Amino acid sequence: VSPSRIRPATLDDLDELLAIEEAAFPGDRMSRRSFRHAVGSPTLALLVAPSRAGLLGYVLVEMRRTARLAHVSSIAVSKRARGQGLGRRLLRAAERLARADGRERIRLEVRADNAPAQALYEHDGYVRTGVEEDYYEDGTAAWRYEKRLKLRG
Ligand SMILES: CC(C)(COP(=O)(O)OP(=O)(O)OC[C@H]1O[C@@H](n2cnc3c(N)ncnc32)[C@H](O)[C@@H]1OP(=O)(O)O)[C@@H](O)C(=O)NCCC(=O)NCCS
């Protein structure tokens, strides 16, 4: 399945978003309610990667009005589409949005035991800035990463 252009999510995407979420994360999941909230929110951007065979992934970015940082709240690619560069495309789309909104940096947390995601971030220029112990539901620590966004002009 080849992905087409990444676009903002709509309410019609909720079922597929939940299916991706359930397959991607054993716990600490986004709920239908939180996806629905993100679709209508002025401070959240929910981007999806569609294909002829349905949604293949999403990324959720939070841009609070009072913060200079953008925050990647979640990113996931369906199992059938992994390892083909889609996670990186979604992450870059999130960075473009943050840059267009004038954000100087983008931040995220990742489970200490999630090597694939850590590799994605490190290869894309993210720097590990700290560890948050006991961060996830099951007590696993989070590694915090940040990337400086180059602003134009
Ligand atoms: C993390 C995730 C989004 C990556 O998506 P993906 O589309 O498979 O990633 P890509 O194909 O774009 O890979 C980009 C880079 O990530 C790294 N990477 C991806 N999968 C990897 C794996 N299984 N092992 C090691 N590195 C991996 C590689 O550096 C890769 O670059 P390269 O292929 O040039 O070496 C995907 O594995 C996923 O949805 N996982 C479950 C949900 C999750 O953990 N989300 C992150 C929460 S913080």
Side-chain angles (χ1 to χ4, degrees):
V1 278
S2 51
S4 36
R5 187 179 284 271
I6 291 169
R7 61 161 172 81
T10 69
L11 293 177
D12 289 338
D13 295 321
L14 291 182
D15 287 343
E16 288 184 86
L17 282 164
L18 272 175
I20 291 172
E21 188 73 1
E22 273 166 28
F25 299 108
D28 293 280
R29 287 186 185 135
M30 294 271 296
S31 63
R32 176 179 293 272
R33 190 188 152 96
S34 44
F35 278 124
R36 192 189 301 114
H37 172 70
V39 170
S41 166
T43 55
L44 295 170
L46 180 59
L47 302 177
V48 294
S51 78
R52 260 186 281 172
L55 289 192
L56 300 178
Y58 80 86
V59 63
L60 178 64
V61 198
E62 185 176 6
M63 293 192 273
R64 292 213 193 115
R65 269 182 225 103
T66 52
R68 301 179 91 172
L69 288 174
H71 187 254
V72 178
S73 305
S74 189
I75 181 169
V77 169
S78 72
K79 286 195 176 121
R80 61 187 165 149
R82 285 189 196 160
Q84 297 166 45
L86 187 54
R88 178 174 291 135
R89 280 183 55 203
L90 283 163
L91 189 61
R92 294 208 173 146
E95 291 166 11
R96 271 197 302 279
L97 267 189
R99 212 178 280 120
D101 197 54
R103 307 290 161 148
E104 294 168 1
R105 284 175 294 152
I106 189 162
R107 173 185 281 183
L108 54 86
E109 289 86 34
V110 56
R111 286 176 65 99
D113 59 6
N114 191 346
Q118 291 159 12
L120 165 65
Y121 306 137
E122 286 171 19
H123 290 179
D124 206 38
Y126 286 72
V127 175
R128 204 173 123 190
T129 56
V131 179
E132 195 90 28
E133 298 298 340
D134 199 17
Y135 185 87
Y136 293 99
E137 273 169 14
D138 67 354
T140 300
W143 289 2
R144 183 159 281 149
Y145 281 91
E146 259 184 46
K147 179 176 179 175
R148 179 168 288 282
L149 299 170
K150 289 188 189 75
L151 300 174
R152 274 195 236 122

